[in-house]
Amino acid sequence: MQKRQQERLNEQFREVLGYIKEVLQTGAALEQAVAETSKSMTRAYGEKGMLAEELNRMVRQMNVGISLETSFSDFAKRSCNEDIRSFAEVLVIARKSGGGIGNVILYTESVLREKQETLRQISMVLHAKEYETSILKLMPFGILAYFLLFLPEFLTPLYHSVVGIATMSILLILYVLLCYMTDRLSDISV
């Protein structure tokens, strides 16, 4: 659930950067762009939207004299999000050095878009492999069901003698252990 929330936060943050970039292209200052973006995000996600609430807080802080860089840095600490923290650090450096904020935002947005697309592709590949693994885990039971339906005499030595029962019990335990190990090995977080 927390991972999903971080993904939504990243998507909304990229959207925020897109709004800010659009407003900056009209010639507005960064502070005005954040205020306009705050209004847009509030309309899109409501007052309690993840980033709408934070942007509204930044606007209130700017109104009482707190710099935008400080507000973004505080937000980055609270969000525990690597992308937001990186952007806040770059924003502070760009403002101190007098760099082009528009270019910084444009570059950050494109990097975030590429990163999210790459993560989405990796996630799709991992889900496909997990699906294949689940099919392979069910395959022995399918084969066993086939033999039970069409060739029951083939399984008689395995399940109606002491040696067969012991052998199949050991194999079942090994199979369960292998399934557990497969699940542990394929539990990759992106």
Side-chain angles (χ1 to χ4, degrees), residues 144 148 155-162 164-165 168-169:
L144 186 61
L148 284 174
L155 297 176
T156 302
L158 295 175
Y159 291 104
H160 296 294
S161 68
V162 176
I165 292 172
M168 293 308 284
S169 296

Side-chain angles (χ1 to χ4, degrees), residues 166-190:
T167 303
M168 293 308 284
S169 296
I170 291 170
L171 290 175
L172 179 64
I173 290 169
L174 286 173
Y175 181 74
V176 169
L177 285 173
L178 286 173
C179 287
Y180 173 75
M181 288 173 52
T182 301
D183 288 341
R184 294 268 302 184
L185 288 173
S186 65
D187 186 24
I188 300 170
S189 63
V190 180

Side-chain angles (χ1 to χ4, degrees), residues 5-6 18 51 60 66 84-85 112 127-129 139 142 160 166 186:
Q5 188 175 7
Q6 284 293 323
L51 287 180
R60 287 192 305 271
I66 298 174
I84 296 172
R85 184 179 44 78
L112 287 177
H127 286 304
K129 293 300 178 187
M139 193 62 81
H160 296 294
S186 65

Side-chain angles (χ1 to χ4, degrees), residues 22-87:
E22 288 175 13
V23 176
L24 285 175
Q25 287 174 344
T26 64
L30 182 59
E31 287 76 8
Q32 292 169 324
V34 169
E36 287 299 317
T37 302
S38 171
K39 292 175 189 173
S40 298
M41 292 299 285
T42 301
R43 279 192 301 269
Y45 296 102
E47 289 283 330
K48 295 295 179 183
M50 278 193 268
L51 287 180
E53 197 172 330
E54 287 296 331
L55 290 170
N56 289 330
R57 177 181 290 154
M58 287 180 197
V59 170
R60 287 192 305 271
Q61 288 177 342
M62 284 187 301
N63 289 337
V64 295
I66 298 174
S67 71
L68 185 60
E69 301 85 48
T70 304
S71 297
F72 256 112
S73 296
D74 290 343
F75 168 51
K77 289 175 190 170
R78 283 192 309 278
S79 72
C80 298
N81 185 295
E82 178 185 334
D83 295 332
I84 296 172
R85 184 179 44 78
S86 297
F87 176 74

